[in-house]
Amino acid sequence: MRNLLITGGAGFIGSNFLRYMLEQYPHYRFVVYDVLNYRGNLDNLRDLDGHPRYLAFVRGDICDRPAVEKVVREYDVDTIVNFAAETHVDRSIIDADAFIRTDVYGTYVLLEVVKDLRLERLHHVSTDEVYGEVLDGSSVETDKLEARSPYAASKAGAELLCQAYHTTYNVPVTVTRGANNIGPYQYPENVVPLFITNAIDDLPLPVYGDGRQVRPYQYVLDHCQGIDVVLHHGTPGEAYNVGPDQETVNLDMTYLLLDLLGKPRSLIQFVTDRPGHDRRYSLNSDKLKALGWEPAHTFEQALEKTVRWYEANEWWWRKIKSGEYKEWYRRNYEDRAALVRELRADDAG
Ligand code: DAU
């Protein structure tokens, strides 16, 4: 492994991964390939501009096979790490089209390129959502995939392609299934950066349903380290869970976040739930731990670091929370909040 192509490298986890890998491996060189959709953002990589081993940023779509092949040949790429995906569950519920295209077809294109150009490895970044909601116990890698949202189904489809390409063509592909990430550069539509930035501005925090859903939130660099361990010590054809043992109830996360910011709980606004909302995710990451991985942050440490980063980096998120973002916010939240007001009025009447 020497020349790595990071697809989706201008997104949240991809950009953190690049920063992490540049520090860890002084002999590796990197190219970022990203279509720059609404979440892809060159500001996420700004501090790395001019780094001698961050060779290039190439704007392109993973669905565009000739363009992917071109960048692979041009930079003598031997390894692809795929972060490129549509990722937001609520958007997939409103319109799944881009999810099926990028997450499924795009992964197929990468598998074809790795097969035909005989690359050393494709590492595909997947999600714990492929298991569906977990009411008891914790998911292990051999569990059935029972995706319940269009987003989760698109990621499960991509994983099945990875498995099939390994079985049929012996393509050297590994997969990681990550739990919820938090940390710097996360687009403020995910719950933690949304709540932090709303709270800083004294805006309501829209908690879905009763807020008792459970997520194993992890610090993004712990996730990046898990991917690194699988890249170097994982077995092709295998999938690995990457998540902490600690699980957090959304409302508890919200209380702690408000406390860290010194903001009142009265900012919490309960709104209509997400359709098909998975109640709980829980990962057993023993398989990865057996390869030497251990998360370095507790949830409390991860949340505190995240809150402080958003407090210190308003230049990054204020730009985002205008334009397309405002339109999305209206589409996703307007009816939800109105519906809750109506239900309350009914109850009172
Ligand atoms: O589990 C890994 C997954 O985590 C990734 O595969 C997804 O790409 C990523 O978007 C994330 O999915 P979630 O649906 O768990 O994350 P989200 O930040 O959208 O929501 C986290 C929890 O917070 C979930 O229980 C829904 C709730 N929530 C979310 C939003 C946006 C709210 O209560 N209010 C909100 O406004």
Coordinates of all heavy atoms in Angstrom, one line a residue, residues 55-100:
L55 N -1.5 14.6 -2.6 CA -1.1 14.9 -4.0 C -2.1 15.8 -4.7 O -1.7 16.6 -5.5 CB -0.8 13.6 -4.7 CG 0.2 12.6 -4.2 CD1 0.4 11.5 -5.1 CD2 1.5 13.4 -3.9
A56 N -3.4 15.5 -4.6 CA -4.3 16.2 -5.4 C -5.7 16.0 -4.9 O -6.1 15.0 -4.3 CB -4.3 15.7 -6.9
F57 N -6.6 17.0 -5.2 CA -8.0 16.9 -5.1 C -8.6 16.8 -6.5 O -8.2 17.6 -7.4 CB -8.6 18.1 -4.4 CG -10.1 18.0 -4.5 CD1 -10.8 17.2 -3.6 CD2 -10.8 18.7 -5.5 CE1 -12.2 17.1 -3.6 CE2 -12.2 18.6 -5.5 CZ -12.9 17.8 -4.6
V58 N -9.4 15.7 -6.8 CA -10.0 15.6 -8.1 C -11.5 15.6 -7.9 O -12.0 14.7 -7.1 CB -9.5 14.3 -8.8 CG1 -10.2 14.1 -10.1 CG2 -8.0 14.3 -8.9
R59 N -12.2 16.5 -8.6 CA -13.6 16.5 -8.5 C -14.2 15.4 -9.4 O -13.9 15.5 -10.6 CB -14.2 17.9 -8.8 CG -15.6 17.9 -8.6 CD -16.2 19.3 -8.7 NE -17.5 19.4 -8.2 CZ -18.3 20.4 -8.1 NH1 -17.7 21.6 -8.3 NH2 -19.5 20.4 -7.6
G60 N -15.0 14.5 -8.9 CA -15.6 13.5 -9.7 C -16.5 12.6 -9.0 O -16.6 12.6 -7.7
D61 N -17.3 11.9 -9.8 CA -18.4 11.1 -9.2 C -17.9 9.6 -9.2 O -17.3 9.2 -10.2 CB -19.6 11.2 -10.2 CG -20.9 10.6 -9.7 OD1 -20.8 9.7 -8.9 OD2 -21.9 11.0 -10.3
I62 N -18.2 8.8 -8.2 CA -17.8 7.4 -8.2 C -18.6 6.6 -9.2 O -18.3 5.5 -9.5 CB -17.8 6.7 -6.8 CG1 -19.2 6.8 -6.2 CG2 -16.8 7.3 -5.9 CD1 -19.4 5.9 -5.0
C63 N -19.7 7.2 -9.7 CA -20.5 6.5 -10.7 C -19.9 6.6 -12.1 O -20.4 5.9 -13.0 CB -22.0 7.0 -10.7 SG -22.8 6.7 -9.2
D64 N -18.9 7.5 -12.2 CA -18.3 7.8 -13.5 C -17.1 6.9 -13.7 O -16.0 7.3 -13.3 CB -18.0 9.3 -13.6 CG -17.4 9.7 -14.9 OD1 -17.0 8.8 -15.7 OD2 -17.3 10.9 -15.1
R65 N -17.3 5.7 -14.3 CA -16.1 4.8 -14.4 C -14.9 5.3 -15.1 O -13.8 5.2 -14.6 CB -16.6 3.5 -15.0 CG -15.5 2.5 -15.0 CD -16.0 1.1 -15.5 NE -14.8 0.3 -15.6 CZ -14.8 -1.0 -15.7 NH1 -15.9 -1.7 -15.5 NH2 -13.7 -1.7 -15.8
P66 N -15.0 5.9 -16.3 CA -13.8 6.4 -16.9 C -13.1 7.4 -16.1 O -11.8 7.4 -16.0 CB -14.4 7.1 -18.2 CG -15.7 6.5 -18.5 CD -16.3 6.1 -17.1
A67 N -13.8 8.3 -15.4 CA -13.2 9.3 -14.5 C -12.4 8.6 -13.3 O -11.3 9.0 -13.0 CB -14.2 10.3 -14.0
V68 N -13.0 7.6 -12.8 CA -12.4 6.9 -11.7 C -11.1 6.2 -12.2 O -10.0 6.3 -11.6 CB -13.3 5.8 -11.0 CG1 -12.6 5.0 -9.9 CG2 -14.5 6.5 -10.4
E69 N -11.2 5.5 -13.3 CA -10.1 4.8 -13.9 C -8.9 5.8 -14.2 O -7.8 5.5 -14.0 CB -10.5 4.1 -15.2 CG -11.2 2.8 -14.9 CD -11.3 1.9 -16.2 OE1 -10.6 2.2 -17.2 OE2 -12.0 0.9 -16.1
K70 N -9.3 7.0 -14.7 CA -8.3 8.0 -15.1 C -7.5 8.4 -13.8 O -6.3 8.4 -13.9 CB -9.0 9.2 -15.7 CG -8.1 10.3 -16.2 CD -8.9 11.2 -17.1 CE -8.0 12.3 -17.6 NZ -7.7 13.4 -16.7
V71 N -8.2 8.7 -12.8 CA -7.5 9.1 -11.6 C -6.6 8.0 -11.0 O -5.5 8.2 -10.5 CB -8.4 9.8 -10.5 CG1 -9.3 8.8 -9.8 CG2 -7.7 10.6 -9.5
V72 N -7.1 6.8 -11.0 CA -6.3 5.6 -10.5 C -5.0 5.5 -11.3 O -4.0 5.3 -10.8 CB -7.2 4.3 -10.6 CG1 -6.3 3.1 -10.4 CG2 -8.3 4.4 -9.5
R73 N -5.2 5.5 -12.7 CA -3.9 5.4 -13.5 C -3.0 6.6 -13.3 O -1.8 6.4 -13.2 CB -4.3 5.3 -15.0 CG -5.0 4.0 -15.4 CD -5.3 4.0 -16.9 NE -6.3 3.1 -17.3 CZ -6.2 1.8 -17.4 NH1 -5.1 1.2 -17.2 NH2 -7.3 1.1 -17.8
E74 N -3.6 7.8 -13.3 CA -2.7 9.0 -13.2 C -1.9 9.0 -12.0 O -0.7 9.4 -12.0 CB -3.6 10.2 -13.3 CG -2.8 11.5 -13.6 CD -3.8 12.6 -13.9 OE1 -4.9 12.4 -14.3 OE2 -3.4 13.8 -13.6
Y75 N -2.4 8.6 -10.9 CA -1.7 8.7 -9.6 C -1.2 7.3 -9.1 O -0.8 7.1 -8.0 CB -2.6 9.3 -8.5 CG -2.8 10.8 -8.9 CD1 -4.0 11.2 -9.5 CD2 -1.8 11.8 -8.6 CE1 -4.2 12.5 -9.9 CE2 -2.0 13.1 -9.0 CZ -3.2 13.4 -9.6 OH -3.4 14.7 -10.0
D76 N -1.2 6.3 -10.0 CA -0.7 5.0 -9.7 C -1.3 4.4 -8.3 O -0.6 3.9 -7.5 CB 0.8 5.1 -9.6 CG 1.5 3.8 -9.7 OD1 0.8 2.8 -10.1 OD2 2.7 3.6 -9.3
V77 N -2.6 4.6 -8.2 CA -3.3 4.2 -7.0 C -3.3 2.7 -6.8 O -3.5 2.0 -7.8 CB -4.8 4.8 -7.1 CG1 -5.6 4.1 -6.0 CG2 -4.8 6.3 -7.0
D78 N -3.0 2.3 -5.6 CA -3.1 0.8 -5.4 C -4.2 0.4 -4.4 O -4.6 -0.7 -4.3 CB -1.7 0.3 -4.9 CG -1.2 1.1 -3.7 OD1 -1.9 1.4 -2.8 OD2 0.0 1.4 -3.8
T79 N -4.8 1.4 -3.7 CA -5.8 1.2 -2.7 C -6.8 2.2 -2.7 O -6.5 3.4 -2.8 CB -5.1 1.2 -1.3 OG1 -4.1 0.2 -1.3 CG2 -6.1 0.9 -0.2
I80 N -8.1 1.8 -2.7 CA -9.2 2.8 -2.6 C -9.9 2.6 -1.3 O -10.2 1.5 -0.9 CB -10.2 2.6 -3.8 CG1 -9.5 2.7 -5.1 CG2 -11.4 3.6 -3.6 CD1 -10.5 2.6 -6.3
V81 N -10.1 3.7 -0.6 CA -11.0 3.7 0.6 C -12.2 4.5 0.3 O -12.1 5.7 0.0 CB -10.2 4.3 1.8 CG1 -11.0 4.1 3.1 CG2 -8.8 3.6 2.0
N82 N -13.4 3.8 0.4 CA -14.6 4.5 -0.1 C -15.5 5.0 1.0 O -16.2 4.3 1.7 CB -15.4 3.5 -1.0 CG -16.7 4.1 -1.5 OD1 -16.7 5.3 -1.8 ND2 -17.7 3.4 -1.6
F83 N -15.4 6.4 1.1 CA -16.4 7.1 2.0 C -17.5 7.7 1.2 O -18.4 8.3 1.8 CB -15.6 8.2 2.7 CG -14.6 7.7 3.7 CD1 -13.3 7.5 3.2 CD2 -14.9 7.4 5.0 CE1 -12.3 7.1 4.1 CE2 -13.9 7.0 5.9 CZ -12.6 6.8 5.4
A84 N -17.4 7.7 -0.1 CA -18.4 8.4 -0.9 C -19.8 7.8 -0.8 O -20.0 6.6 -1.1 CB -18.0 8.4 -2.4
A85 N -20.7 8.6 -0.3 CA -22.1 8.0 -0.2 C -23.1 9.2 0.2 O -22.7 10.2 0.7 CB -22.1 7.0 1.0
E86 N -24.3 8.9 -0.1 CA -25.4 9.7 0.4 C -25.7 9.1 1.8 O -25.8 7.9 1.9 CB -26.6 9.7 -0.5 CG -26.5 10.4 -1.8 CD -26.4 11.9 -1.7 OE1 -26.9 12.4 -0.7 OE2 -25.8 12.5 -2.6
T87 N -25.8 9.9 2.8 CA -25.8 9.3 4.2 C -26.9 9.7 5.1 O -27.1 9.0 6.2 CB -24.5 9.6 4.9 OG1 -24.4 11.1 5.0 CG2 -23.3 9.1 4.2
H88 N -27.7 10.7 4.8 CA -28.6 11.2 5.8 C -30.0 10.4 5.7 O -30.7 10.6 4.7 CB -28.8 12.7 5.7 CG -29.5 13.3 6.9 ND1 -29.2 12.9 8.2 CD2 -30.5 14.2 7.0 CE1 -29.9 13.6 9.0 NE2 -30.7 14.3 8.3
V89 N -30.3 9.7 6.7 CA -31.5 8.9 6.7 C -32.8 9.7 6.4 O -33.6 9.2 5.5 CB -31.7 8.2 8.1 CG1 -33.0 7.4 8.2 CG2 -30.5 7.3 8.4
D90 N -33.0 10.9 7.0 CA -34.2 11.7 6.7 C -34.3 12.0 5.2 O -35.4 12.0 4.6 CB -34.2 12.9 7.6 CG -34.3 12.6 9.0 OD1 -35.2 11.8 9.4 OD2 -33.6 13.2 9.8
R91 N -33.1 12.4 4.6 CA -33.2 12.7 3.2 C -33.6 11.5 2.4 O -34.3 11.6 1.4 CB -31.8 13.2 2.7 CG -31.5 14.6 3.2 CD -30.4 15.2 2.5 NE -29.9 16.4 3.2 CZ -29.9 17.7 2.7 NH1 -30.3 17.9 1.5 NH2 -29.4 18.7 3.4
S92 N -33.1 10.3 2.8 CA -33.4 9.1 2.0 C -34.9 8.8 2.1 O -35.5 8.1 1.2 CB -32.6 7.9 2.5 OG -33.1 7.3 3.6
I93 N -35.5 9.2 3.2 CA -37.0 8.9 3.4 C -37.8 9.9 2.4 O -38.8 9.5 1.8 CB -37.4 9.1 4.8 CG1 -36.7 8.0 5.7 CG2 -38.9 9.2 5.0 CD1 -36.8 8.2 7.2
I94 N -37.3 11.1 2.2 CA -38.0 12.0 1.4 C -37.7 11.7 -0.1 O -38.6 11.8 -0.9 CB -37.6 13.5 1.7 CG1 -38.2 13.8 3.1 CG2 -38.0 14.5 0.7 CD1 -37.8 15.2 3.7
D95 N -36.5 11.3 -0.4 CA -36.1 11.0 -1.8 C -34.9 10.1 -1.9 O -33.8 10.5 -1.6 CB -35.8 12.3 -2.6 CG -35.6 12.1 -4.1 OD1 -35.6 10.9 -4.5 OD2 -35.3 13.1 -4.8
A96 N -35.1 8.8 -2.3 CA -34.1 7.8 -2.2 C -33.2 7.7 -3.4 O -32.2 7.0 -3.4 CB -34.7 6.5 -1.9
D97 N -33.6 8.4 -4.5 CA -32.9 8.3 -5.7 C -31.4 8.3 -5.7 O -30.7 7.4 -6.1 CB -33.5 9.3 -6.7 CG -33.3 8.9 -8.1 OD1 -34.0 7.9 -8.5 OD2 -32.5 9.5 -8.9
A98 N -30.9 9.4 -5.1 CA -29.4 9.6 -5.1 C -28.7 8.6 -4.3 O -27.6 8.2 -4.5 CB -29.1 11.0 -4.5
F99 N -29.4 8.0 -3.3 CA -28.9 7.0 -2.4 C -28.6 5.7 -3.2 O -27.6 5.1 -3.1 CB -29.8 6.7 -1.2 CG -29.9 7.8 -0.3 CD1 -30.6 9.0 -0.6 CD2 -29.2 7.8 0.9 CE1 -30.6 10.1 0.3 CE2 -29.2 8.8 1.8 CZ -29.9 10.0 1.5
I100 N -29.6 5.3 -4.0 CA -29.5 4.1 -4.8 C -28.4 4.3 -5.8 O -27.5 3.4 -6.0 CB -30.8 3.7 -5.5 CG1 -32.0 3.8 -4.5 CG2 -30.7 2.4 -6.2 CD1 -31.9 3.0 -3.3

